[in-house]
Amino acid sequence: MNRKGKLYFRYGTMGSAKTALLLTQAYNFEERNMSYVCLKPIIDTRDKKNVIRSRIGIERECKWVYADTDLYELAQQLFEETMQIIEWFLVDECQFLSERQVDQLSRIVDDFGSNVVCYGLRTDFQSHLFEGSRRLFEIADSIDEIKSTCNCGRKTIINARIDASGDFVEEGNQVEIGGDDKYISVCRKCWRNKKIEQASRNALPFLELKTHK
């Protein structure tokens, strides 16, 4: 195989236009008559089936990736159906992939020379790496950060989960699908300061109770 593909990881916080960039890339491939396929883990159920949609309104059809999907076998099936090696695989929400599936993507690159571009989050609401993102940091050929800005002007790092009152949620399942109603992207300093403010506020009723005893 003479083709030399790459495994790309492009990560950013929520609201950093990752999906819009993926869809723009897909549009450019169409304009240049280049073969591509969009993939998306089914765990993200906010949109209708088989569609990747950006907040700015553009969308493309995609192949659903299930927890037990073998992406290497899926690629082989697509090659047989189209009678060609697909040049580009565009993966949305790649943080939800398993380590095994990321390894399968790397095999697509190495064995067939296709390019695989993965877009997703780096960390969860507790600032811990997702499984798929961690594996991509370990083996991707190219890693790029898609930067966005916190309200204070610093770079966003944390995908903070919020409750109905706008307070940060510090416990819960790693995966909870939601948009602006459940998440806000902030810098590390604002994340820390907000957590300190919440802890102080929560401690105040307890201190007042002890004072009045």
Side-chain angles (χ1 to χ4, degrees):
M1 180 66 65
N2 294 323
R3 296 162 55 94
K4 293 183 179 180
K6 285 186 178 182
L7 176 60
Y8 299 84
F9 181 31
R10 295 175 179 167
Y11 69 92
T13 53
M14 297 185 70
S16 59
K18 299 180 300 299
T19 300
L21 290 172
L22 181 155
L23 295 172
T24 299
Q25 192 165 22
Y27 174 79
N28 289 334
F29 291 155
E30 289 180 4
E31 290 291 292
R32 295 157 61 187
N33 294 317
M34 299 174 68
S35 59
Y36 75 94
V37 170
C38 294
L39 304 173
K40 181 179 179 180
I42 198 170
I43 195 169
D44 185 352
T45 57
R46 286 173 293 177
D47 295 321
K48 63 184 180 180
K49 190 173 182 179
N50 297 342
V51 165
I52 295 175
R53 179 182 292 111
S54 169
R55 297 183 183 187
I56 62 176
I58 56 177
E59 64 180 45
R60 283 290 185 282
E61 290 186 2
C62 67
K63 299 287 185 182
W64 252 190
V65 177
Y66 297 84
D68 61 350
T69 299
D70 186 314
L71 294 173
Y72 189 82
E73 290 183 357
L74 175 62
Q76 289 179 309
Q77 293 171 4
L78 293 172
F79 297 158
E80 292 175 3
E81 292 173 5
T82 60
M83 302 295 291
Q84 63 175 333
I85 299 296
I86 296 170
E87 297 174 82
W88 292 88
F89 288 83
L90 305 177
V91 187
D92 194 30
E93 304 288 8
C94 64
Q95 70 272 8
F96 296 136
L97 297 176
S98 67
E99 178 177 331
R100 174 180 55 83
Q101 289 172 323
V102 173
D103 287 342
Q104 291 162 1
L105 292 176
S106 71
R107 288 182 59 204
I108 295 171
V109 173
D110 296 341
D111 292 355
F112 302 111
S114 300
N115 293 285
V116 177
V117 190
C118 298
Y119 292 84
L121 303 175
R122 176 175 62 174
T123 57
D124 61 21
F125 74 106
Q126 294 177 320
S127 75
H128 300 150
L129 286 170
F130 284 99
E131 178 180 348
S133 303
R134 181 179 64 249
R135 189 58 176 157
L136 282 162
F137 274 118
E138 292 170 344
I139 67 170
D141 298 301
S142 176
I143 300 173
D144 298 299
E145 182 179 13
I146 303 169
K147 298 179 181 179
S148 61
T149 305
C150 179
N151 288 337
C152 72
R154 296 181 179 88
K155 183 181 71 173
T156 59
I157 293 178
I158 307 296
N159 302 294
R161 185 179 295 170
I162 58 175
D163 60 20
S165 300
D167 285 338
F168 290 172
V169 177
E170 298 188 47
E171 296 183 354
N173 295 330
Q174 184 182 53
V175 177
E176 183 175 329
I177 302 301
D180 295 339
D181 59 325
K182 289 189 177 181
Y183 291 93
I184 181 173
S185 299
V186 294
C187 71
R188 183 180 59 251
K189 183 175 182 178
C190 287
W191 181 59
R192 175 176 176 270
N193 288 345
K194 177 69 171 178
K195 290 171 65 178
I196 292 172
E197 182 269 324
Q198 286 180 200
S200 300
R201 186 188 340 131
N202 293 336
L204 185 60
F206 176 74
L207 294 175
E208 290 178 343
L209 181 62
K210 290 187 64 177
T211 301
H212 287 85
K213 281 188 176 180

